């Protein structure tokens, strides 16, 4: 089965968080070791579908769409900053009974989900058994030139005609892949951003995500006292692999794994290889 065949991805549970309604789901038997998957921007838990299903053979896997993303609530005035997402993640860990102790989860976080996981751990006391960071937003400076341009002029791009907006989003999301996304996958990733609420939500989160949210924690990566795996696509054009080497060097004992030919969306470009690496790391 290829990644684009798994298109029946739905989140069947709801939590009213401090930043709006969050959709989430759990896969695998409840008595298995817990793992939480965090997506990045402008994506959703959908990018984890293949990996999540594979991990669920051995783990209880929790997935969620962050406020302002995917199937979760999108509304004017919503706080969808990285600071807010870290608070919501901490709330969800409490809801799931994973706030610490024997049920402390392993966490796998992609893109700005990496910042969310790191902030929850370093600033809010969330405890993890293991942490895997996949092409994370963690080191300054970050944000592709396109991302910074869109965020700096959000009020302009919010008014783009729908057809032009859709074309822009498709081109932007497509650039996250090294070999290229299957058209059905690209459609699914783009669709949440292309209705009235979605268009505004896309530029809202870009405008709110400031580098200060990583600046506040970057100097504390040496404090991490848990096993950390840093994964990176060798062909990532959004955040270059050199950042992976730099990040791994800042975290005591961290290991770096590169995925040849994969872009920023390693989950789509090398799902089998990433799954194998994660299963090995989580099972240690």
């Amino acid at each position: 089965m290829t990644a684009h065949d798994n298109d029946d991805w739905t989140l069947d549970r709801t939590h009213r968080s401090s930043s709006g309604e969050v959709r989430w789901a759990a896969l695998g038997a409840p008595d298995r070791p817990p793992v939480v998957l965090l997506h990045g921007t402008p994506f959703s838990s959908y990018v984890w579908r293949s990996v999540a299903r594979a991990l669920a053979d051995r783990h209880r896997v929790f997935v969620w769409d962050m406020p302002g993303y995917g199937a979760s609530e999108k509304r004017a005035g919503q706080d969808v900053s990285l600071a807010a997402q870290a608070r919501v993640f901490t709330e969800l860990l409490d809801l799931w009974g994973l706030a610490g102790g024997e049920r402390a989860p392993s966490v796998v976080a992609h893109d700005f989900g990496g910042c969310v996981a790191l902030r929850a751990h370093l600033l809010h006391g969330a405890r993890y058994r293991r942490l895997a960071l996949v092409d994370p937003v963690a080191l300054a400076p970050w944000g592709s030139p396109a991302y910074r341009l869109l965020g700096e002029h959000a009020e302009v791009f919010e008014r783009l005609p729908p057809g032009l907006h859709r074309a822009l989003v498709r081109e932007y999301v497509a650039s996250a892949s090294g070999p290229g996304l299957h058209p059905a996958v690209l459609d699914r990733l783009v669709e949440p951003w292309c209705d009235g609420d979605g268009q505004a939500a896309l530029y809202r989160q870009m405008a709110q995500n400031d580098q200060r949210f990583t600046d506040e924690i970057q100097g504390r990566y040496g404090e991490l006292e848990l096993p950390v795996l840093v994964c990176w696509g060798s062909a990532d054009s959004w955040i270059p692999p050199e950042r992976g080497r730099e990040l791994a060097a800042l975290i005591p004992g961290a290991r770096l794994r590169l995925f040849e030919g994969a872009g920023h969306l390693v989950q789509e470009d090398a799902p089998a290889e990433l799954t194998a690496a994660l299963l090995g790391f989580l099972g240690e």
Side-chain angles (χ1 to χ4, degrees), residues 132-181:
L133 299 168
V134 184
D135 298 70
V137 170
L139 299 175
W142 54 264
S144 67
Y147 188 90
R148 290 193 295 269
L149 175 68
L150 295 171
E152 289 168 1
H153 302 282
E155 71 287 349
V156 175
F157 289 102
E158 284 181 18
R159 300 196 298 270
L160 283 177
L164 187 56
H165 166 74
R166 180 182 290 271
L168 186 155
V169 177
R170 284 184 68 86
E171 185 68 22
Y172 178 60
V173 171
S175 70
S177 171
L181 295 170

Side-chain angles (χ1 to χ4, degrees), residues 203-220:
Y203 302 118
R204 182 182 307 120
Q205 55 90 8
M206 288 178 169
Q208 290 186 26
N209 285 332
D210 191 275
Q211 186 175 294
R212 63 188 173 90
F213 296 119
T214 52
D215 290 345
E216 291 170 357
I217 57 172
Q218 183 170 329
R220 298 184 58 183

Side-chain angles (χ1 to χ4, degrees), residues 53-161:
R53 288 171 173 137
L55 294 181
D57 286 340
R58 303 183 192 177
H59 300 272
R60 178 69 162 173
V61 181
F62 295 85
V63 292
W64 58 298
D65 285 354
M66 297 187 194
Y69 293 79
S72 291
E73 182 178 359
K74 306 176 185 71
R75 57 174 169 79
Q78 188 177 20
D79 187 353
V80 294
S81 67
L82 290 168
Q85 305 292 4
R87 291 192 296 269
V88 171
F89 181 41
T90 306
E91 295 170 21
L92 286 171
L93 292 174
D94 286 334
L95 174 72
W96 297 331
L98 306 179
E102 294 183 358
R103 291 294 289 172
S106 295
V107 171
V108 181
H110 176 243
D111 186 75
F112 90 167
C115 177
V116 172
L118 288 164
R119 287 182 67 91
H121 179 68
L122 292 169
L123 301 182
H124 302 296
R127 310 308 302 172
Y128 313 143
R129 192 176 72 87
R130 290 175 172 270
L131 175 62
L133 299 168
V134 184
D135 298 70
V137 170
L139 299 175
W142 54 264
S144 67
Y147 188 90
R148 290 193 295 269
L149 175 68
L150 295 171
E152 289 168 1
H153 302 282
E155 71 287 349
V156 175
F157 289 102
E158 284 181 18
R159 300 196 298 270
L160 283 177

